[in-house]
Amino acid sequence: MQRPRSSATWLLLLSCCVCAAAGYPFKPPLDLDVTPRITVLSSGLQGCRRFQSSAVNYSTMLLEADSRHLFVGARGAVFALNASDISSSSALTIEWEASSEQKLQCMLKGKDNKTECYNHIRFLQRFNSTHLYMCGTYAFRPLCAYINEKRFVMSSQPEDGKDKCPYGPTMGYTGLIIDQQMYTASKYSFRGFPDIRRNSPMPALKTEEAPTRWLNEADFVGSALVTESSGSSAGDDDKIYFFFTEKSQEQTTTYSHSRVARVARVCKGDRGGQFTLQKRWTSFLKARLTCSLPEYDFHFNVLRSMFVMPGRTPQETLFYGIFGLEWKNVKASAVCRFSLPEIQQAFQGPYMENQDSGSKWKEYTGKIPDPRPGTCITNALRARGINVSTSLPDDVLDFVRRHPLMSQQVQPLDRRPLLFRRTTDYTHMSVHMIQGLDGQTYHVLYMGTDEGWLHKAVEVEGQLHIIEELQVFEEPQPVNNLRVSAEQMSVYVSSPSGVVQLPLSYCARYTSCYDCIFSRDPHCGWNGARCVDVMSQANRSNLIQDIQHGRTGCENTQDSVVLRSRSVRVGDDVLLQCELSSNLATPLWTLDDSELQGYGLNSGFRTGTDGLLIIEARQDQSGLYTCYAVENSIKVAIVNYNVTIRLDLPPPPPVEPTGDTYNFYATLPPPTWSEKPPPPSPASLLPHSELLSPKNMQAMYLSLITILGGLCLVLTVVLVYVGVCLRVGNRGKYSLRAAAAAYPVNKRHSRSRKQSRSSAHMELKTISSHCNGNGVCNGVSKQHNGNIQEGGFLQIVPGEGHTLPNKEPPPPAPPLPPTPLLSSPVCEFPNGLSATLPSVLRRMNGNSYVLLRQSDSENTSPLCYSFAEELNKILEKRKHTQLLPRPDESSV
Ligand SMILES: *[C@@H]1O[C@H](CO)[C@@H](O)[C@H](O)[C@H]1NC(C)=O
Ligand SMILES: *[C@@H]1O[C@H](CO)[C@@H](O)[C@H](O)[C@H]1NC(C)=O
Ligand SMILES: *[C@@H]1O[C@H](CO)[C@@H](O)[C@H](O)[C@H]1NC(C)=O
Ligand SMILES: *[C@@H]1O[C@H](CO)[C@@H](O)[C@H](O)[C@H]1NC(C)=O
Ligand SMILES: *[C@@H]1O[C@H](CO)[C@@H](O)[C@H](O)[C@H]1NC(C)=O
């Protein structure tokens, strides 16, 4: 069955190539690919505490419910941090670096002396009430040691750890200490096979390798004890579950995969067999975990992390898994949640078998020996005199040995992922349970990404709403581990460079009632004046919260709205800035309380997510403009502008294009939007904001990409065309490097809104297309921070980066290319531009959903994006054209 596999692979590879260029060819249900509501950059993070030391590679963390300490294992050291404030100076350290002799040995073995030839702490857990136990790779010679918790010192000489700990820092590994016995799963030796082990003093047990190998290149990510014995009427045993990805054995009819996600389990009381399966598990069984979007034939086969959420009873245990794709070059994650009963059911179901020791596994339909192979010792067996696994009959054990794999696959709850994200690779997750003010229990997920971000999401009826994305580490780096502490109200995130402690919520971030309830954060409630942490309030009866819908409760609150004034001249282009803090909001503008209809060129208005542009202002456009953020179908006023358009001066002379690139926009024949009115967008929240419909946003982006690409070419054409008023010697050259450097700053501004305000960015106050006859734009004034420009010319003003609404977006969008683009977005990026534009777009909010969003088809995105951001880039370029003329270097 190689052929179906390779053709499927090809298909997917092909898809991936296309994806890389233009977004995925398949469309997932919108409600699964969730956009984080708020983006917070590291500069805007509040209440976060950091721990850093000379050590790197912080990976293992041990945090106990009532403990004052957070124990962290890094490379060559273990730390006991003050859990309430990890940055406090009270941190205790055990330094445990590999000896130089062992490092040399490691190098001689050909290992990487930059990563592998160190002592990476891979295991750190409680051993008994006074001692912890840890294992380190010790430069390819694993060692383990006890830690005296109180004194925080190693309490004995390190002992051999090669049966308990892998050799390298990246080898998949999981382990538990249960009743002072260590259960670990990894590939321990350099050439050996992966193995699930229990170490002495109880009989040490392993998995079987012959005739049937129980594990196939397994990569372990997690393990958990579920105390199924408690409250079991059948006298069941506790079980240990292991989670991993391994090479697939089974062949199904529809498709095949090279790797699959698995759950395996063993019984705690297992003692191995008497003759058959001596020193091997008699209770090892494994089943496939599926996490897929079947309607797109898309299967997440790689399990990256598993969080086990204890329930009130063991039967209510939930398993939250982060899954990824097999193709390493494609970023995507899915979160699937499994219940214990469904896993148990798979282990109760039919077995698979491998009859002719070929590679095909099929469901076993023959007779199953009694007692059922692979079960734990229960009362029923005890009644038959089988008290321990060594008493199990040989035929049962022989069957177990040859049938480790179950036929039934474990489906996630709701039969589909809770979350699907393109362009994000989640690495770790932790789940916190909290009761909402509505009395319901909510699960809040904290998920770390491979780029150092933390996503916080709440699950509502099988859907995840991502409340926020936080840039925890400024330098992109994978989140190595995550722990949530309800006692400390903190989430701890470890990475190669350090550990960060964040509050579970930061409600003060939400400044209005609507902001507070739109967040749908179970930790936050509006108390009439502020958004407060629910847990910190003794009296919660007056708090407003709407986790279910993020809509109701603020009807009677009045938020004061900022009023600004703008006074400009007829014919000017005016930008009214309005930044929306939520990525889920769309802007809506009114003029004297009536909605602005049709934001097309002929209407004289254009809008993006960060502002409204009045093009060539007319006197009748004076009035009170209000910007609303529309979210969850609710209009919230953000800012008012009192705009006066005066006729002080005679109307500007006909535009005489010059070498200034700005004019080029004003004078290009306008293939206006109104010429080709966009079809109404079904997904649009507000039918009247036509230009905000996804299709148009898509069109805008596509246009922008094309425009950017053709910019040089078009410039040339235009410059030749308008050469009359052009002196070649006067023209500037793009300072591309400078523009590129300035661009991400601008991006961050507009995406992160208030969080990041640099003082260096440029502000464009009012815009005009007036140029004087000799081809030089006048009115490049230097210092008018926040003032209304009298001249009405193109004015680029170094901003002082203060309050929110002072940054003005750039000039009008360049004209759109012909609309046929819309019909085939997938083919739009073959000209090499994709390499530049999307990579920039990706940086907009760190986790880069914008890039792929832009090619979503018309009815998949309720969002709209700022064309102003793209134009900012152009503006930045032009700024350098004007401010840094380098006539001799003109390349245009
Ligand atoms: C350890 O940290 C260094 C520097 O932060 C990083 O380059 C390296 O990839 C990390 N290694 C592992 C195994 O995490
Ligand atoms: C831990 O930090 C908290 C808050 O800073 C402080 O009150 C406490 O004394 C510290 N504990 C230790 C053991 O240093
Ligand atoms: C690793 O080994 C190379 C030579 O094999 C040496 O040049 C380098 O300094 C070593 N690096 C470290 C960190 O020891
Ligand atoms: C815990 O284990 C350590 C190491 O084996 C031992 O020295 C210590 O006495 C034990 N403590 C208790 C309370 O049993
Ligand atoms: C099984 O255990 C029970 C009590 O725990 C004991 O009475 C009985 O003799 C044991 N049977 C065997 C076969 O060991």
Side-chain angles (χ1 to χ4, degrees):
M1 287 294 268
Q2 271 311 322
R3 204 175 301 138
R5 168 136 112 224
S6 55
S7 67
T9 309
W10 272 112
L11 215 99
L12 265 148
L13 277 181
L14 189 70
S15 317
C16 299
C17 299
V18 179
C19 300
Y24 286 51
F26 62 89
K27 281 178 281 168
L30 174 69
D31 54 356
L32 281 179
D33 191 3
V34 181
T35 300
R37 182 174 179 272
I38 300 272
T39 304
V40 182
L41 293 174
S42 60
S43 52
L45 272 187
Q46 309 262 10
C48 96
R49 299 184 159 116
R50 289 174 194 271
F51 174 78
Q52 262 166 330
S53 72
S54 56
V56 296
N57 301 122
Y58 300 82
S59 53
T60 44
M61 285 203 269
L62 172 63
L63 180 68
E64 289 163 315
D66 44 5
S67 172
R68 300 197 327 262
H69 282 126
L70 170 71
F71 298 102
V72 181
R75 196 184 80 182
V78 188
F79 303 92
L81 310 180
N82 183 339
S84 57
D85 178 3
I86 63 167
S87 65
S88 78
S89 54
S90 58
L92 303 172
T93 309
I94 295 174
E95 287 191 24
W96 188 26
E97 192 44 90
S99 65
S100 45
E101 184 196 344
Q102 185 52 38
K103 282 185 175 176
L104 188 68
Q105 291 280 321
C106 176
M107 267 171 74
L108 293 178
K109 280 188 210 156
K111 300 295 147 200
D112 184 348
N113 67 351
K114 289 193 192 65
T115 54
E116 292 169 304
C117 296
Y118 285 99
N119 187 25
H120 292 268
I121 308 298
R122 299 293 314 267
F123 186 91
L124 180 60
Q125 286 194 12
R126 177 161 298 281
F127 181 73
N128 60 22
S129 59
T130 57
H131 284 70
L132 309 179
Y133 195 64
M134 68 173 167
C135 297
T137 59
Y138 208 75
F140 252 66
R141 187 176 151 250
L143 293 179
C144 297
Y146 292 94
I147 295 173
N148 179 322
E149 186 190 6
K150 199 163 184 189
R151 292 168 48 221
F152 205 63
V153 291
M154 242 189 261
S155 67
S156 60
Q157 280 299 308
E159 57 193 35
D160 184 10
K162 68 178 187 301
D163 282 342
K164 305 169 184 167
C165 181
Y167 283 62
T170 54
M171 180 60 64
Y173 177 54
T174 181
L176 293 170
I177 292 179
I178 299 164
D179 298 341
Q180 303 192 4
Q181 293 233 97
M182 203 163 160
Y183 296 75
T184 57
S186 187
K187 180 174 169 248
Y188 301 89
S189 72
F190 191 39
R191 288 201 178 74
F193 297 114
D195 191 9
I196 293 175
R197 288 186 184 170
R198 182 175 66 202
N199 294 292
S200 46
M202 272 252 285
L205 297 179
K206 297 175 157 206
T207 48
E208 184 69 295
E209 278 159 24
T212 300
R213 193 172 296 157
W214 288 357
L215 296 164
N216 262 287
E217 298 172 25
D219 187 12
F220 292 94
V221 299
S223 53
L225 168 73
V226 182
T227 54
E228 286 166 61
S229 67
S230 80
S232 164
S233 54
D236 202 354
D237 196 0
D238 292 344
K239 301 188 186 72
I240 298 115
Y241 290 84
F242 294 88
F243 300 93
F244 54 99
T245 307
E246 71 170 352
K247 210 168 138 195
S248 138
Q249 294 158 301
E250 61 266 47
Q251 187 74 61
T252 60
T253 48
T254 47
Y255 48 78
S256 77
H257 302 284
S258 59
R259 295 183 77 73
V260 288
R262 298 259 195 239
V263 53
R265 71 107 164 95
V266 295
C267 302
K268 195 175 88 178
D270 198 340
R271 305 188 132 254
Q274 184 72 12
F275 303 107
T276 307
L277 291 184
Q278 204 178 16
K279 294 192 178 162
R280 299 287 185 270
W281 300 101
T282 64
S283 55
F284 176 91
L285 292 175
K286 64 180 180 180
R288 178 163 174 202
L289 292 173
T290 60
C291 182
S292 57
L293 291 165
E295 57 271 47
Y296 305 98
D297 197 20
F298 217 65
H299 304 271
F300 296 89
N301 292 324
V302 175
L303 182 59
R304 294 210 199 102
S305 162
M306 183 62 84
F307 179 83
V308 180
M309 174 115 180
R312 272 168 307 175
T313 66
Q315 287 299 311
E316 289 172 79
T317 307
L318 290 174
F319 303 89
Y320 280 91
I322 295 175
F323 291 78
L325 298 170
E326 281 175 75
W327 295 278
K328 291 212 168 70
N329 53 345
V330 184
K331 282 199 175 193
S333 302
V335 174
C336 278
R337 177 172 55 175
F338 304 89
S339 72
L340 183 64
E342 298 217 27
I343 292 177
Q344 289 169 330
Q345 202 188 340
F347 291 131
Q348 288 299 320
Y351 301 84
M352 295 283 262
E353 82 167 342
N354 180 8
Q355 210 141 41
D356 46 8
S357 64
S359 60
K360 288 171 208 161
W361 285 66
K362 291 197 294 280
E363 187 169 313
Y364 174 79
T365 49
K367 189 169 171 290
I368 296 171
D370 182 52
R372 188 181 160 90
T375 48
C376 303
I377 305 296
T378 57
N379 290 340
L381 290 181
R382 284 182 201 106
R384 292 164 58 173
I386 303 173
N387 282 3
V388 287
S389 61
T390 46
S391 316
L392 286 165
D394 257 1
D395 63 331
V396 169
L397 296 180
D398 197 54
F399 187 92
V400 168
R401 177 188 214 165
R402 290 166 189 277
H403 301 85
L405 178 62
M406 307 313 298
S407 168
Q408 205 173 311
Q409 303 182 2
V410 184
Q411 297 285 338
L413 283 172
D414 298 332
R415 298 290 174 269
R416 54 165 215 161
L418 283 179
L419 176 77
F420 166 55
R421 285 268 304 162
R422 298 180 276 191
T423 73
T424 302
D425 271 351
Y426 292 120
T427 58
H428 284 273
M429 168 170 51
S430 210
V431 184
H432 170 66
M433 232 169 15
I434 181 170
Q435 198 169 47
L437 294 173
D438 55 8
Q440 293 203 38
T441 300
Y442 290 95
H443 291 189
V444 180
L445 282 67
Y446 294 84
M447 298 175 286
T449 77
D450 62 333
E451 293 179 341
W453 288 68
L454 182 69
H455 288 197
K456 173 182 174 183
V458 60
E459 184 240 313
V460 180
E461 284 166 9
Q463 297 261 332
L464 284 185
H465 163 74
I466 304 183
I467 297 165
E468 59 196 11
E469 56 176 352
L470 312 178
Q471 188 188 26
V472 180
F473 299 97
E474 192 164 20
E475 280 292 309
Q477 57 192 295
V479 167
N480 283 342
N481 220 327
L482 261 180
R483 288 285 182 279
V484 166
S485 164
E487 284 77 18
Q488 306 289 350
M489 290 304 285
S490 291
V491 50
Y492 304 90
V493 186
S494 75
S495 80
S497 75
V499 187
V500 174
Q501 175 185 13
L502 291 153
L504 288 183
S505 64
Y506 190 77
C507 304
R509 183 176 294 134
Y510 308 113
T511 51
S512 72
C513 181
Y514 273 115
D515 213 12
C516 191
I517 61 157
F518 284 162
S519 76
R520 300 170 69 187
D521 187 332
H523 293 105
C524 299
W526 184 257
N527 71 359
R530 283 177 304 122
C531 194
V532 294
D533 191 327
V534 172
M535 306 299 276
S536 69
Q537 305 294 304
N539 177 10
R540 297 174 190 173
S541 58
N542 63 338
L543 296 182
I544 302 171
Q545 192 181 59
D546 181 9
I547 304 167
Q548 289 286 327
H549 307 106
R551 207 172 291 157
T552 49
C554 298
E555 292 76 15
N556 301 322
T557 58
Q558 279 290 318
D559 288 320
S560 59
V561 180
V562 185
L563 175 65
R564 299 200 149 71
S565 296
R566 289 282 183 274
S567 176
V568 296
R569 204 176 51 168
V570 165
D572 281 355
D573 293 346
V574 186
L575 231 340
L576 305 178
Q577 196 211 23
C578 177
E579 286 199 346
L580 312 183
S581 63
S582 164
N583 298 324
L584 304 183
T586 48
L588 168 71
W589 286 85
T590 61
L591 169 54
D592 294 331
D593 287 336
S594 61
E595 257 173 44
L596 288 186
Q597 296 294 328
Y599 294 85
L601 261 192
N602 285 359
S603 72
F605 299 107
R606 288 199 191 186
T607 189
T609 46
D610 42 10
L612 175 80
L613 176 67
I614 308 172
I615 303 157
E616 295 188 6
R618 305 181 306 267
Q619 267 187 301
D620 64 343
Q621 287 172 319
S622 296
L624 183 70
Y625 287 81
T626 306
C627 170
Y628 294 91
V630 182
E631 190 165 356
N632 295 342
S633 310
I634 292 173
K635 271 168 55 177
V636 182
I638 305 292
V639 60
N640 289 317
Y641 284 95
N642 205 341
V643 177
T644 317
I645 298 166
R646 289 175 292 124
L647 195 64
D648 284 353
L649 298 167
V655 174
E656 298 203 50
T658 69
D660 170 45
T661 52
Y662 177 68
N663 276 323
F664 133 68
Y665 296 120
T667 54
L668 263 192
T672 59
W673 283 318
S674 49
E675 274 175 24
K676 214 168 168 105
S681 94
S684 177
L685 218 40
L686 300 163
H688 40 262
S689 55
E690 285 170 37
L691 284 173
L692 297 181
S693 73
K695 187 157 194 164
N696 280 293
M697 296 315 293
Q698 175 192 353
M700 271 193 266
Y701 271 104
L702 291 170
S703 318
L704 283 162
I705 287 151
T706 314
I707 290 293
L708 287 173
L711 195 59
C712 286
L713 184 68
V714 177
L715 257 179
T716 313
V717 172
V718 170
L719 290 175
V720 166
Y721 180 69
V722 302
V724 182
C725 62
L726 233 184
R727 280 207 211 84
V728 173
N730 256 353
R731 273 205 318 272
K733 175 185 184 294
Y734 285 170
S735 177
L736 282 177
R737 210 183 320 124
Y743 183 49
V745 176
N746 268 350
K747 286 272 175 223
R748 295 188 161 207
H749 274 254
S750 34
R751 292 312 297 184
S752 74
R753 277 85 205 221
K754 343 180 194 201
Q755 278 82 28
S756 148
R757 296 279 161 204
S758 120
S759 60
H761 77 273
M762 305 295 286
E763 293 193 348
L764 183 67
K765 283 303 167 193
T766 58
I767 311 164
S768 158
S769 54
H770 311 164
C771 283
N772 65 16
N774 64 15
V776 179
C777 252
N778 57 10
V780 180
S781 71
K782 301 259 158 42
Q783 276 293 351
H784 286 267
N785 293 332
N787 293 340
I788 293 142
Q789 300 311 310
E790 297 303 319
F793 297 117
L794 173 64
Q795 295 184 326
I796 296 170
V797 185
E800 54 182 32
H802 44 104
T803 55
L804 169 65
N806 263 14
K807 180 170 64 78
E808 297 287 2
L816 281 177
T819 37
L821 282 180
L822 296 179
S823 55
S824 55
V826 167
C827 316
E828 274 321 301
F829 302 97
N831 56 4
L833 281 170
S834 55
T836 51
L837 185 58
S839 68
V840 175
L841 283 171
R842 292 170 60 107
R843 301 189 55 156
M844 285 166 62
N845 50 14
N847 285 335
S848 56
Y849 50 85
V850 170
L851 163 60
L852 291 170
R853 282 280 186 185
Q854 67 187 334
S855 54
D856 280 349
S857 79
E858 59 270 18
N859 54 5
T860 56
S861 172
L863 308 171
C864 70
Y865 294 102
S866 162
F867 62 81
E869 282 170 349
E870 282 316 305
L871 295 170
N872 247 332
K873 185 178 182 184
I874 298 165
L875 177 68
E876 281 296 320
K877 290 178 182 175
R878 201 167 69 245
K879 178 175 77 191
H880 295 286
T881 307
Q882 291 163 342
L883 299 181
L884 311 167
R886 276 183 241 159
D888 299 338
E889 293 174 56
S890 174
S891 63
V892 180

